[in-house]
């Protein structure tokens, strides 16, 4: 992996907060801090550009830094002994990763890989723990974020244990269109590959391809290259709750 340290200051970009020397104000965890406070925090960060496909953190790695994503998109993944890949979560700009090890000082529970070119701020765990003491609002936001992550993982565990593959595929498609607040139709673009969807659902690519083809025949989705159009959101929700396509 090649990481390029860019220094903590960088050129002003469109929409930059007045007086800001960095983009940390875009990070939800830090969004309530004043510009001067963000600038001070930025001085204690190492700024990194990571290319798509690069691994930022390795599973079981003995490091404890925390990362703030100011641009880009990464995925948290796990790998079995025989190489099976599981995607736990995708983490977008404005979010953080590495907080588990920063808090408990234990090895990394997941690998982190850049899904697209990303710009990150890295801070060591001692400095981060100091922020939690200095700024109680950060600690509260972190607690809320960890609760959300726990709820999401609990929900996914329930799905793995109780749902057939076709239900999990339907549920994942619904999860991807939630942000669009769609009632009748929605477009997922760029859409993840069938393999990427499979790693999220603890299944294999062929099963995802089969289920998408079946949904297409039912007139529920229209799947193309790097895009999936949901034609009937209500029907998709119905199928996600049914143990058959009848």
């Amino acid at each position: 992996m090649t990481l390029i340290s860019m220094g903590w200051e960088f050129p002003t970009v469109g929409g930059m907060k007045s007086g800001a020397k960095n983009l940390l104000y875009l990070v939800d965890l830090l969004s309530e801090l004043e510009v001067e406070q963000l600038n001070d925090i930025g001085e204690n960060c190492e700024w990194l550009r990571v290319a798509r496909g690069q691994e930022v953190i390795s599973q079981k790695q003995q490091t404890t830094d925390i990362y703030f994503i100011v641009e880009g998109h990464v995925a948290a993944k796990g790998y079995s002994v025989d190489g099976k890949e599981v995607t736990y979560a995708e983490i977008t700009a404005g979010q953080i990763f590495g907080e588990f090890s920063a808090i408990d000082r234990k090895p990394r529970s997941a690998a982190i890989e850049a899904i697209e070119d990303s710009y990150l701020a890295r801070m060591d765990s001692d400095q981060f723990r100091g922020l939690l003491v200095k700024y109680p609002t950060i600690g509260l936001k972190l607690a809320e974020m960890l609760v959300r992550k726990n709820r999401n993982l609990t929900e996914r565990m329930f799905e793995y244990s109780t749902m057939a593959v076709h239900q999990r595929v339907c549920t994942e498609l619904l999860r991807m269109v939630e942000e669009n607040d769609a009632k009748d139709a929605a477009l997922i673009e760029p859409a993840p590959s069938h393999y990427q969807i499979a790693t999220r659902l603890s299944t294999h690519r062929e099963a995802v391809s089969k289920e998408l083809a079946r949904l297409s025949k039912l007139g529920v989705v229209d799947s193309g290259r790097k895009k999936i159009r949901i034609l009937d959101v209500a029907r998709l929700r119905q199928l996600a709750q049914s143990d058959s396509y009848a």
Side-chain angles (χ1 to χ4, degrees), residues 197-210:
I197 295 174
T199 66
R200 300 177 188 179
L201 304 179
S202 190
T203 187
H204 49 85
R205 182 184 61 79
E206 292 78 9
V208 173
S209 298
K210 177 182 177 182

Side-chain angles (χ1 to χ4, degrees), residues 29-42:
L29 189 70
L30 309 176
S31 61
E32 294 184 15
L33 299 183
E34 299 297 327
V35 169
E36 293 77 10
Q37 296 169 329
L38 293 170
N39 289 342
D40 289 341
I41 293 171

Side-chain angles (χ1 to χ4, degrees), residues 123-245:
M123 173 180 278
D124 72 43
S125 61
D126 288 336
Q127 291 169 328
F128 179 66
R129 291 163 71 93
L131 288 183
L132 298 180
V133 174
K134 187 175 182 179
Y135 302 112
T137 56
I138 296 179
L140 179 59
K141 276 180 166 284
L142 179 64
E144 292 170 345
M145 184 199 72
L146 292 174
V147 169
R148 286 195 301 271
K149 284 191 173 184
N150 183 65
R151 287 184 184 278
N152 289 339
L153 288 173
T154 300
E155 183 178 293
R156 284 187 176 274
M157 286 182 62
F158 180 80
E159 291 170 6
Y160 298 155
S161 302
T162 64
M163 290 183 173
V165 171
H166 83 267
Q167 291 176 291
R168 300 206 300 273
V169 170
C170 292
T171 300
E172 186 63 24
L173 292 175
L174 289 169
R175 193 176 281 123
M176 284 190 277
V177 301
E178 272 183 354
E179 292 183 359
N180 295 341
D181 194 27
K183 293 182 174 64
D184 299 315
L187 177 65
I188 302 168
E189 188 179 21
S193 68
H194 294 185
Y195 173 76
Q196 289 172 320
I197 295 174
T199 66
R200 300 177 188 179
L201 304 179
S202 190
T203 187
H204 49 85
R205 182 184 61 79
E206 292 78 9
V208 173
S209 298
K210 177 182 177 182
E211 296 307 327
L212 286 175
R214 190 176 296 179
L215 288 169
S216 181
K217 288 181 179 179
L218 290 172
V220 177
V221 307
D222 179 18
S223 181
R225 182 174 176 80
K226 294 187 178 180
K227 64 182 179 181
I228 301 173
R229 186 178 296 278
I230 311 300
L231 303 175
D232 190 338
V233 175
R235 176 65 170 148
L236 186 63
R237 288 197 180 99
Q238 182 183 41
L239 291 171
Q241 297 171 6
S242 174
D243 58 8
S244 74
Y245 276 97

